[in-house]
């Protein structure tokens, strides 16, 4: 099946996404698309960069068809912050009867998604870059009082993606999209681990939507900075399918593992580099390298030799983890939220020993399957570089020491079980973290 067929199939199954139009020159059809799914006036919401990319064309197309529009445009510099506060300000800017239309990429789509959901309204998205996978996903990753969380929402009812607009986006943005998609490689490994340990079963619908085409979507990174339309179309189709897979599964599990947990830490800390807020996809690219380096190290270990009873006896209890969380995040709301997430997956005593026995048993089968599915870190580094995405932490302004601390505490942010938890359960997280810092040896 081709990419567009897979999307049509996924849209037919989607509870919320009614139509996805991806193609060259499709912006001209914006009014007909709007009229098929909405009525009444539209409020076009963008930042100045997104507006410049497609705003006037969308406005003209809708107006020509007799659809009233109003533009709500916010500054693009400094780059808008993905927060619930920004989403609430857009919600408050909407007038009764208006349908929100996000014209933009990651942050604008996420905040409009949250604003629309808060009002119980469907929304339309006109995508301006292949920079992340959130157009068709049911969650909005936003910070609320300093804690970044994927907030359940509804995806865009209608997605319009004109490949001429998307190919004209700054190449670095397409590199971010490539980085976000690359994260699905270690995220797949994390799900395989959770499945093999009986923690979270693989879903036969969502898994192939992401993992089925992944190798192909990631296969020609060098064509992306060159603006090759076929490569950018493949990347956009992949990101769209991933979004639909998250909606189909009901959580971001198909698309997000340790790589995203590490990235979320930096996003929560409002990481800046070179005077700019570092994008989600750039953080994920570096998080992906850290996760794959840990996998490379893990796959040299023989976990059939672990001693489940000894490990369970010496494992930290929840109180010890609470102390580690407070030491890592400082007192306050972030620590409190992290403690709740950690408590949801905390296992100790006989239950932990049983899980480790199961790990010891399944390892001879799981390890080769992980090896076959995952990419060695050096291969991913080459691909990310060719796509114009960052590889090493220093490229996004993260020092080796900060990277090291991030790897050690990222697992506390989410209740989702990943390679970080497996390593921690085996008492190997410190060693794996030291091995995953990249060129230059230990921190
Ligand atoms: Zn992502």
């Amino acid at each position: 099946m081709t990419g567009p067929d897979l999307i049509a199939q996924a849209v037919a199954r989607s509870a919320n996404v009614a139509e996805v139009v991806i193609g060259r020159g499709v912006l001209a059809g914006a009014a007909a698309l709007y009229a098929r799914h909405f009525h009444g006036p539209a409020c076009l919401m963008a930042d100045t960069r997104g507006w410049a990319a497609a705003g006037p064309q969308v406005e003209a197309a809708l107006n020509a068809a007799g659809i009233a529009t109003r533009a709500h445009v916010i500054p693009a510099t400094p780059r808008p912050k993905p927060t619930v506060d920004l989403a609430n300000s857009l919600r408050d800017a909407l007038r009764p009867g208006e349908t929100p239309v996000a014209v933009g990429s990651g942050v604008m789509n996420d905040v409009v998604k949250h604003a629309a959901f808060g009002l119980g309204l469907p929304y339309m998205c006109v995508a301006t870059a292949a920079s992340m996978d959130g157009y068709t996903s049911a969650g909005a990753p936003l910070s609320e009082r300093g804690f970044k969380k994927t907030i359940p929402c509804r995806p865009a009812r209608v997605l319009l993606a004109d490949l001429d607009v998307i190919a004209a986006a700054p190449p670095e943005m397409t590199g971010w999209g490539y980085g976000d998609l690359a994260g699905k490689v270690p995220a797949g490994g994390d799900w395989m681990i959770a499945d093999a340990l009986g923690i979270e079963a693989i879903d036969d619908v969502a898994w192939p939507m992401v993992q089925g085409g992944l190798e192909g979507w990631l296969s020609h990174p060098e064509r992306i900075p060159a603006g090759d339309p076929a490569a950018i179309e493949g990347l956009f189709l992949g990101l769209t399918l991933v979004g639909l897979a998250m909606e189909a599964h009901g959580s971001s599990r198909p698309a997000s593992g340790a790589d995203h947990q590490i990235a979320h830490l930096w996003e929560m800390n409002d990481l800046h580099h070179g005077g700019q807020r570092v994008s989600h996809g750039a953080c994920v690219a570096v998080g992906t390298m850290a996760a794959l380096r840990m996998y490379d190290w893990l796959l040299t270990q023989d976990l059939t030799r672990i001693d489940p009873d000894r490990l369970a006896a010496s494992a930290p209890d929840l109180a010890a983890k609470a102390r580690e969380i407070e030491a890592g995040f400082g007192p306050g709301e972030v620590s409190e939220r992290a403690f709740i997430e950690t408590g949801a997956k905390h296992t100790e005593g006989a239950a932990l020993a049983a899980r480790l026995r199961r790990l010891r048993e399944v390892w001879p089968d799981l390890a080769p399957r992980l090896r076959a599915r995952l990419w060695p870190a050096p291969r991913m580094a080459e691909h990310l570089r060719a796509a114009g995405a960052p590889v090493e932490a220093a490229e996004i302004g993260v020092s080796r020491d900060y990277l090291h601390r991030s790897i050690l505490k990222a697992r506390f942010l989410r209740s989702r079980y990943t390679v970080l938890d497996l390593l921690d359960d085996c008492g190997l997280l410190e060693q794996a973290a030291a091995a995953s810092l990249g060129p230059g040896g230990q921190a």
Side-chain angles (χ1 to χ4, degrees):
M1 219 184 281
T2 65
D5 291 340
L6 288 169
I7 287 187
Q9 191 186 60
V11 168
R13 206 168 30 220
S14 168
N16 298 295
V17 182
E19 192 169 353
V20 171
V21 178
I22 302 171
R24 300 189 67 171
V26 296
L27 218 49
L33 182 60
Y34 183 89
R36 279 200 291 282
H37 299 278
F38 310 100
H39 46 81
C43 181
L44 310 181
M45 306 190 117
D47 68 17
T48 45
R49 195 173 294 120
W51 184 261
Q57 296 98 302
V58 176
E59 186 178 52
L62 294 184
N63 293 162
I67 299 162
T69 59
R70 188 171 65 84
H72 182 81
V73 181
I74 63 171
T77 314
R79 213 176 270 164
K81 214 169 160 178
T83 62
V84 170
D85 287 343
L86 178 57
N88 288 344
S89 76
L90 296 183
R91 182 196 64 199
D92 295 344
L94 280 162
R95 294 177 189 160
E98 285 181 337
T99 293
V101 177
V103 181
S105 55
V107 175
M108 278 316 289
N109 176 62
D110 283 332
V111 291
V112 172
K113 183 191 289 184
H114 189 274
F117 185 70
L119 293 169
L121 293 174
Y123 80 101
M124 172 165 161
C125 181
V126 178
T128 57
S131 54
M132 49 87 233
D133 60 22
Y135 296 118
T136 47
S137 76
L142 299 175
S143 292
E144 186 171 28
R145 296 189 299 278
F147 191 84
K148 189 170 174 102
K149 181 136 182 78
T150 301
I151 302 168
C153 290
R154 270 192 290 275
R157 175 170 291 181
V158 172
L159 172 63
L160 179 63
D162 189 321
L163 294 170
D164 291 330
V165 172
I166 286 164
E172 61 168 1
M173 295 188 79
T174 322
W176 302 338
Y178 188 91
D180 201 15
L181 201 55
K184 304 345 170 196
V185 174
D190 289 346
W191 203 0
M192 288 168 71
I193 287 174
D195 179 74
L197 295 180
I199 297 165
E200 208 178 333
I202 284 179
D203 161 353
D204 293 339
V205 172
W207 173 270
M209 286 169 75
V210 175
Q211 298 293 332
L214 190 54
E215 185 78 27
W217 301 326
L218 295 174
S219 62
H220 290 291
E222 72 289 348
R223 295 185 190 164
I224 284 169
D228 177 295
I232 289 172
E233 180 175 12
L235 176 62
F236 196 87
L237 289 171
L239 291 166
T240 304
L241 261 176
V242 167
L244 288 161
M246 286 189 264
E247 192 215 6
H249 184 68
S251 85
S252 61
R253 170 56 102 173
S256 161
D259 55 293
H260 267 67
Q261 293 177 1
I262 294 167
H264 283 326
L265 265 180
W266 299 329
E267 292 173 83
M268 264 169 47
N269 287 348
D270 205 18
L271 178 69
H272 276 65
H273 186 54
Q276 284 272 31
R277 178 169 295 113
V278 182
S279 75
H280 172 70
C283 291
V284 173
V286 177
T288 295
M289 286 303 302
L292 288 177
R293 283 172 173 148
M294 275 187 286
Y295 269 115
D296 283 351
W297 182 86
L298 173 65
L299 290 169
T300 65
Q301 306 299 304
D302 180 3
L303 299 189
T304 64
R305 298 163 71 103
I306 59 171
D307 181 341
D309 293 314
R310 188 186 59 79
L311 285 168
S314 60
D317 61 12
L318 203 47
K321 285 183 183 171
R323 287 191 294 277
E324 201 181 333
I325 288 168
E326 184 146 338
F329 295 93
E333 176 122 8
V334 172
S335 278
E336 284 162 27
R337 302 280 292 266
F339 181 70
I340 293 168
E341 295 284 332
T342 301
K345 65 179 170 183
H346 176 73
T347 306
E348 61 181 44
L352 179 57
R355 176 187 287 171
L356 289 165
R357 272 194 293 277
R358 181 166 179 164
L359 174 60
R360 193 173 58 180
E361 249 164 61
V362 300
W363 188 246
D365 168 66
L366 178 59
R369 288 196 295 119
L370 286 171
R371 243 176 241 119
R373 168 64 51 185
L374 294 166
W375 293 24
R379 178 180 181 219
M380 184 60 86
E382 273 173 28
H383 278 66
L384 288 169
R385 218 176 279 295
V391 174
E392 302 304 340
E395 294 169 46
I396 59 167
V398 169
S399 69
R400 295 173 64 73
D401 180 55
Y402 186 18
L403 172 63
H404 191 211
R405 281 183 281 125
S406 301
I407 292 169
L408 293 179
K409 70 181 188 180
R411 70 191 188 287
F412 295 132
L413 281 186
R414 291 287 182 276
S415 59
R416 180 165 301 155
Y417 195 91
T418 73
V419 66
L420 298 169
D421 299 291
L422 178 140
L423 287 162
D424 188 44
D425 284 348
C426 294
L428 297 171
L429 183 58
E430 294 270 356
Q431 276 173 272
S436 66
L437 295 175
Q442 305 211 336

